[in-house]
Amino acid sequence: MPTKTRNQPINQWAEDDRPREKMLLKGKSALSNAELIALLIGSGNSDESAVQLAQRMLDATGNNLIEFSKLSIEELSRFRGMGKAKAISIIAALELGKRRVAERVLQQIKIKSSRDVYDLLLPDLTDNYYEAFFVVLLDRANKVIRKLNISRGGVAGTVVDPKKIFKMALDHNASSIILAHNHPSNNLKPSENDIRLTKKLLEAGKALEIPVLDHIIVGNDNYYSFADNNNLS
């Protein structure tokens, strides 16, 4: 069986050494990090195979995938044989991996109080100069299915479509929902519009048997809960 040499193209390697064939024969877990990256970039350069190029890039970050994922398009493109198209493919794949992990973690979160909602959405809603409206979808055990940005507006408010909210809830088989938006002014008192919208969504939730459990207004360092203030009737 032929063995691979440094300058030998992947298609001349032994079948077990080719990343695509290796995945088909042995499964994805049998591939090294360099081989997985090689599948993304497809080809190397005149002196290196795709696997060798991938390994050289990994070596530059201490074979640490976390450090490797921090490389920008420009930094990846500096490796001979790369280029922006290949760099974008790598970054897109790494981003999908991060999002997959984030969604798995999100689905393990159980909402037990308004504070849990505040902590969940604080990175999305604090320190913004515009108003944004989120919906948190929950399963029967009050575990988070997904948090969704419904709309973004200006300093004074945002437009929210109840049909869009409940369509998303139905699409994701949510058992209940929690509403949340921020006040860029940091004034946590519900506006008349906030109260009217909350009542409208409460009624829609009752009709569809997808109850609205709370509506959170987020400021820069605190929040207001409609449920905690008995304002969900």
Side-chain angles (χ1 to χ4, degrees), residues 9 15 22 44 51 58 60 81 83-84 98 102 104 108 123 125 128 132 135 141 161 172 188 192 194 204 223 229:
E15 189 169 279
K22 189 173 180 179
V51 175
L58 285 169
K84 289 189 176 180
K98 285 194 290 185
R104 185 172 62 204
Q108 294 172 350
L125 291 175
N128 288 334
V135 174
D161 182 356
H172 291 90
L188 297 179
E192 289 301 320
D194 294 336
Y223 70 97
N229 287 276

Side-chain angles (χ1 to χ4, degrees), residues 32-225:
S32 67
N33 291 338
E35 288 170 327
L36 290 169
I37 294 170
L39 289 175
L40 294 170
I41 63 179
S43 61
N45 55 49
S46 58
D47 294 321
E48 298 172 303
S49 69
V51 175
Q52 290 162 342
L53 172 57
Q55 188 59 61
R56 183 160 62 89
M57 291 191 293
L58 285 169
D59 289 342
T61 54
N63 279 299
N64 186 314
L65 279 177
I66 295 175
E67 293 302 314
F68 180 74
S69 68
K70 295 177 183 177
L71 295 177
S72 66
I73 293 173
E74 290 72 22
E75 288 169 327
L76 287 169
S77 299
R78 292 185 193 128
F79 289 91
R80 192 165 71 86
M82 286 295 290
K84 289 189 176 180
K86 291 181 180 179
I88 288 169
S89 294
I90 290 175
I91 288 175
L94 290 169
E95 179 63 21
L96 278 173
K98 285 194 290 185
R99 293 185 185 188
R100 178 180 180 272
V101 171
E103 288 197 5
R104 185 172 62 204
V105 171
L106 190 66
Q107 290 172 3
Q108 294 172 350
I109 296 174
K110 185 172 183 177
I111 300 298
K112 299 176 182 178
S113 68
S114 60
R115 181 75 195 195
D116 293 337
V117 184
Y118 173 70
D119 291 339
L120 174 67
L121 294 175
L122 187 62
D124 302 293
L125 291 175
T126 192
D127 294 329
N128 288 334
Y129 294 105
Y130 55 84
E131 193 168 297
F133 197 99
F134 275 74
V135 174
V136 180
L137 307 181
L138 304 175
D139 66 12
R140 291 185 183 277
N142 279 358
K143 288 185 178 180
V144 176
I145 299 172
R146 188 162 294 185
K147 58 177 181 178
L148 299 170
N149 184 194
I150 298 299
S151 66
R152 291 183 179 182
V155 175
T158 182
V159 177
V160 177
D161 182 356
K163 294 190 294 296
K164 182 178 181 180
I165 290 174
F166 285 102
K167 181 181 186 305
M168 288 182 170
L170 290 166
D171 287 346
H172 291 90
N173 295 315
S175 295
S176 59
I177 65 173
I178 294 174
L179 315 171
H181 76 283
N182 64 310
H183 279 180
S185 66
N186 206 33
N187 178 3
L188 297 179
K189 183 180 179 180
S191 68
E192 289 301 320
N193 284 338
D194 294 336
I195 295 169
R196 281 196 298 270
L197 176 63
T198 303
K199 288 182 177 179
K200 186 175 184 179
L201 291 170
L202 279 168
E203 292 303 316
K206 289 176 183 176
L208 293 169
E209 298 184 346
I210 303 175
V212 175
L213 301 184
D214 203 350
H215 185 171
I216 303 292
I217 299 173
V218 176
N220 292 332
D221 55 6
N222 208 340
Y223 70 97
Y224 174 93
S225 162

